[in-house]
Amino acid sequence: MFIRVLFLAISLLSFSACVSKDTATSNLTTTETEKEHKIESEELRLLMQELNMVVYDRQKSELDRDDIRRRHALNLADIVKGFAKKIESMPADKLGNELTVEDREMYLYYAQELYKDGEAINEVAQNYEMEKLDRTVAKMQQTCNRCHALLRD
Amino acid sequence: MKTGSFKSLFLLSISLALYAAEDDAELELLKVQAKELSQRIEAYETKSNEKRTAALKDENREVRSDYIVDDTQGYSAPMNQKGVLELTSANTVLSVGGRIQLHSIYAWPEGSYFAGKIPLDDSGENGQLIMSARDSRLWVKTRTPTEYGPIRTLIEIDFLGTTATEINTNSHGLRLRHAYFEMAGFTVGQTNSAFNAFVTLDTITYAVNDTLVRQPLIRYSVNNRSFGYDLSLEQPETTLLDQNGTIITPKDDVAPDVIARLRYYPSWGETSVALMGRYITQDQATLSDGSRVAGRDAAFGWGVNMSGKIKLYGLDDIRFDAQYGVGLGRYVAYNAFAAGSIDADGNIELQPAYGGHIGYRHWWSTKFRSTLAFSYAATDNDITNVNPAARSSVNSDVYGSQLNLLWIPIPNGLVGLEYSKALRSVESGEEGNMDMLTLLVRYDF
């Protein structure tokens, strides 16, 4: 009987440990940072969709379209840099209760990378180097994905 | 991140189990189980560390996520820009691009959707199929850094020049659309007028009050993040309605059209207001019947055009454009109205023209969208100057509406189906309307 109790206890606690893992993820998503990040991610999505839609803007010359892309790219760089700065200056306890020291280091590392990506997008847009915009945005996208793969997925 | 929790829970489990154990046999069994669990935790930790290391070191690894990129919600991978050919030489970057577009149109009755060309009767054939690739385009642009900032150039052409026959080869002529450069805030060459609507409808056919003029100009622009303004001197072209109901172009202009435009990009959308002043002149103009007026005359015309976009939920938006002016003429509705009228003595009387359109664009998904739009344009002709028999060729007002479904099958591709209906009235009291179904297939390269 006590073996059953033991099995039950271990099973329950193991299950709770698994739940704890999921909770850790959801705790992470409920921090203020995460809430803000979700909003910013939505802004980024819309901005990127708008960027992809510029090609369909009617009655614009190709240079007009480049001006529109440039404006969107500058906004995108601002959002990305703003978020990266926010993470860097965030007290450790606001980054997520379940983050280990190691995770925090990774989080900050990716925030720094994101800031650099934002700077690169800004520079490309400032110089009208629109042919480089794809690459710089793709680099930012890669940073976002790596961070999410490690800390969110 | 989760190994700490695992360890605590494991120890707690063991403590509880030990407490519950009654004899040595059970204790031995527990020890074996504990050992197995311990090995599993170690394996988990190793795997977790490997994952972190891989994330840091493998710079080329592509990872998908539910954020930012091509995902379950169907957002395209960001930035599929065009301009596929890039040649770099001596700091100049040259890009080539364009679009291939096929229009397939059914109209009842046959006619054109442009404001001044909507058929007045239904004597034309119904449901004729017209297919055309003439609106395909090709452009070349360059960018060269200078001490005053980059100098950018653009030449763009389409094939809406001389019309060819459809019998054999459809060899339509080239037409210049844009040819200009930009440097240090100056734009010099031929391109869109600053009076044009800054925001346009997402439709296949045009709004009947459309303001689209491309002409030679010199413009100075200031661009900031949230606003910009332009001051533009543009090619003048007087258009006057004569007694025969024909719009003539005297070609006697002496001063450029002057346009000032303010652009504003708030978080809720974008908007612009353009003000125009123009000097309408004629000097012994030749009328449509070949006669020549003796005198000369001039008048000052003006106009205002306001367009904008208000963002709604997601990418949905409302787009609008409204204009009013005295002597607006060719700047609205594709020259359906004259800037003014000219009498037999050569006197000019400018006339007001006005119009507006509004459209709602809705996204059904990230690939499908629709626009429902209404437009209107009208003018107050000096009808006393026009012979009664000629009044059927003088436009008074036009209505239009469009409903479409546009699909993005691949990045930079577009397939669209649009139903449009338009109605035109002329000064003789006649009215005509047409229905049109347009299928568009297009790819921008």
Side-chain angles (χ1 to χ4, degrees):
Chain A
M1 181 191 169
F2 284 103
I3 295 293
R4 285 178 194 163
V5 172
L6 175 65
F7 177 75
L8 186 65
I10 290 175
S11 301
L12 283 171
L13 289 168
S14 301
F15 178 71
S16 66
C18 293
V19 172
S20 162
K21 179 184 175 182
D22 290 340
T23 309
T25 306
S26 50
N27 276 348
L28 183 64
T29 61
T30 54
T31 60
E32 287 304 308
T33 318
E34 281 304 304
K35 281 179 185 170
E36 286 176 20
H37 187 29
K38 280 199 165 183
I39 293 168
E40 280 149 350
S41 292
E42 186 59 22
E43 280 181 58
L44 287 178
R45 270 184 177 155
L46 293 176
L47 259 177
M48 287 181 185
Q49 183 79 344
E50 283 191 88
L51 270 167
N52 287 337
M53 289 299 297
V54 173
V55 69
Y56 306 114
D57 267 5
R58 300 187 65 181
Q59 300 177 7
K60 303 284 184 194
S61 74
E62 196 53 32
L63 297 189
D64 291 338
R65 291 194 181 100
D66 278 350
D67 288 339
I68 298 169
R69 289 184 185 113
R70 179 175 182 263
R71 187 154 42 84
H72 289 323
L74 290 170
N75 288 338
L76 192 142
D78 275 0
I79 293 174
V80 164
K81 284 164 63 183
F83 178 66
K85 275 285 164 204
K86 216 180 286 176
I87 294 172
E88 283 189 76
S89 58
M90 183 82 60
D93 61 331
K94 293 215 170 172
L95 286 175
N97 298 331
E98 300 299 323
L99 287 179
T100 63
V101 174
E102 208 178 2
D103 289 332
R104 285 198 188 101
E105 281 174 8
M106 290 302 299
Y107 205 15
L108 291 175
Y109 165 78
Y110 281 123
Q112 286 163 4
E113 287 295 298
L114 195 59
Y115 189 83
K116 286 180 201 165
D117 296 338
E119 286 276 87
I121 293 170
N122 187 65
E123 190 181 338
V124 159
Q126 291 289 357
N127 296 329
Y128 288 91
E129 296 170 323
M130 308 317 290
E131 71 280 359
K132 295 179 182 171
L133 193 56
D134 275 6
R135 263 172 285 160
T136 49
V137 173
K139 171 70 175 57
M140 179 208 77
Q141 175 191 336
Q142 204 173 46
T143 304
C144 294
N145 289 343
R146 286 201 175 116
C147 187
H148 294 154
L150 186 66
L151 299 171
R152 181 183 297 278
D153 291 346
Chain B
M1 168 166 65
K2 288 88 190 176
T3 52
S5 306
F6 259 109
K7 279 179 180 169
S8 307
L9 290 167
F10 172 66
L11 291 172
L12 184 60
S13 310
I14 296 303
S15 305
L16 284 170
L18 287 172
Y19 179 77
E22 254 188 354
D23 51 37
D24 289 346
E26 286 178 344
L27 193 59
E28 282 304 311
L29 182 63
L30 280 173
K31 281 179 181 174
V32 172
Q33 287 175 337
K35 194 178 176 185
E36 281 176 3
L37 282 169
S38 178
Q39 284 171 344
R40 284 185 187 177
I41 289 172
E42 278 175 16
Y44 172 81
E45 282 180 328
T46 308
K47 196 178 171 186
S48 180
N49 287 337
E50 281 172 358
K51 192 179 173 187
R52 283 196 179 87
T53 310
L56 274 175
K57 289 183 178 174
D58 185 8
E59 289 298 316
N60 296 318
R61 191 165 63 101
E62 290 297 329
V63 185
R64 292 178 70 85
S65 163
D66 63 343
Y67 263 39
I68 306 298
V69 291
D70 192 9
D71 60 15
T72 51
Q73 292 187 41
Y75 282 85
S76 297
M79 302 301 298
N80 292 291
Q81 298 303 307
K82 55 201 187 66
V84 290
L85 176 62
E86 288 165 20
L87 304 173
T88 305
S89 173
N91 293 330
T92 294
V93 177
L94 179 147
S95 306
V96 178
R99 79 182 193 198
I100 303 298
Q101 178 169 295
L102 178 69
H103 263 111
S104 302
I105 298 170
Y106 280 106
W108 297 268
E110 63 179 327
S112 168
Y113 194 78
F114 291 109
K117 296 179 179 174
I118 295 158
L120 284 173
D121 57 42
D122 55 3
S123 60
E125 292 188 44
N126 286 310
Q128 264 194 336
L129 173 64
I130 299 167
M131 298 176 78
S132 171
R134 298 179 67 192
D135 203 11
S136 299
R137 296 175 187 172
L138 183 68
W139 53 255
V140 177
K141 67 177 179 181
T142 67
R143 190 190 72 251
T144 308
T146 71
E147 58 186 301
Y148 304 106
I151 177 167
R152 301 188 297 153
T153 71
L154 175 74
I155 292 183
E156 182 178 307
I157 55 171
D158 62 23
F159 302 89
L160 289 163
T162 312
T163 309
T165 66
E166 298 175 358
I167 298 169
N168 287 114
T169 57
N170 288 274
S171 309
H172 306 290
L174 290 174
R175 185 182 72 156
L176 179 66
R177 292 173 57 81
H178 301 275
Y180 69 101
F181 71 88
E182 286 186 359
M183 189 181 74
F186 284 95
T187 300
V188 179
Q190 174 175 313
T191 187
N192 293 323
S193 168
F195 193 75
N196 287 3
F198 192 65
V199 177
T200 52
L201 291 174
D202 192 12
T203 52
I204 297 173
T205 51
Y206 298 96
V208 295
N209 72 315
D210 210 15
T211 49
L212 174 61
V213 170
R214 279 190 301 272
Q215 56 193 4
L217 54 81
I218 298 173
R219 183 164 69 214
Y220 181 70
S221 304
V222 172
N223 288 300
N224 287 312
R225 293 293 293 280
S226 58
F227 74 94
Y229 56 86
D230 313 279
L231 185 62
S232 195
L233 303 178
E234 305 191 1
Q235 174 192 264
E237 180 74 305
T238 292
T239 55
L240 296 169
L241 182 68
D242 72 8
Q243 293 168 305
N244 307 306
T246 302
I247 295 177
I248 63 164
T249 51
K251 302 282 183 193
D252 296 324
D253 301 289
V254 293
D257 293 352
V258 181
I259 298 160
R261 178 173 66 180
L262 178 67
R263 293 170 274 121
Y264 179 47
Y265 316 110
S267 58
W268 49 262
E270 54 190 84
T271 186
S272 79
V273 180
L275 295 170
M276 176 180 59
R278 53 192 308 223
Y279 195 58
I280 307 291
T281 55
Q282 73 80 18
D283 186 0
Q284 299 180 340
T286 303
L287 304 180
S288 60
D289 60 7
S291 64
R292 199 168 181 183
V293 297
R296 57 176 306 207
D297 197 10
F300 178 76
W302 63 274
V304 57
N305 189 21
M306 181 177 181
S307 68
K309 177 171 81 175
I310 299 168
K311 293 179 185 174
L312 302 174
Y313 176 76
L315 283 170
D316 284 16
D317 56 52
I318 289 175
R319 297 168 182 224
F320 63 89
D321 179 30
Q323 59 277 147
Y324 182 87
V326 177
L328 207 52
R330 65 192 175 93
Y331 280 93
V332 63
Y334 294 95
N335 203 34
F337 314 129
S341 57
I342 179 171
D343 64 18
D345 298 323
N347 298 313
I348 291 173
E349 180 72 31
L350 296 184
Q351 62 192 62
Y354 39 92
H357 68 240
I358 187 163
Y360 171 60
R361 181 172 75 163
H362 174 67
W363 287 80
W364 303 104
S365 71
T366 52
K367 306 281 186 196
F368 287 90
R369 64 189 194 269
S370 290
T371 290
L372 174 64
F374 302 96
S375 52
Y376 171 72
T379 189
D380 298 335
N381 294 293
D382 178 15
I383 202 63
T384 56
N385 185 52
V386 180
N387 298 326
R391 288 176 187 173
S392 62
S393 60
V394 181
N395 301 311
S396 59
D397 52 10
V398 192
Y399 297 86
S401 56
Q402 291 122 312
L403 177 64
N404 65 28
L405 179 64
L406 306 178
W407 172 41
I408 305 171
I410 52 172
N412 298 328
L414 186 68
V415 177
L417 187 64
E418 182 169 286
Y419 168 71
S420 41
K421 185 175 183 65
L423 186 148
R424 176 167 70 114
S425 305
V426 292
E427 293 294 356
S428 62
E430 294 170 82
E431 280 185 1
N433 65 74
M434 72 178 292
D435 297 84
M436 200 159 89
L437 197 60
T438 311
L439 174 68
L440 173 88
V441 182
R442 163 180 160 186
Y443 180 72
D444 285 72
F445 58 92

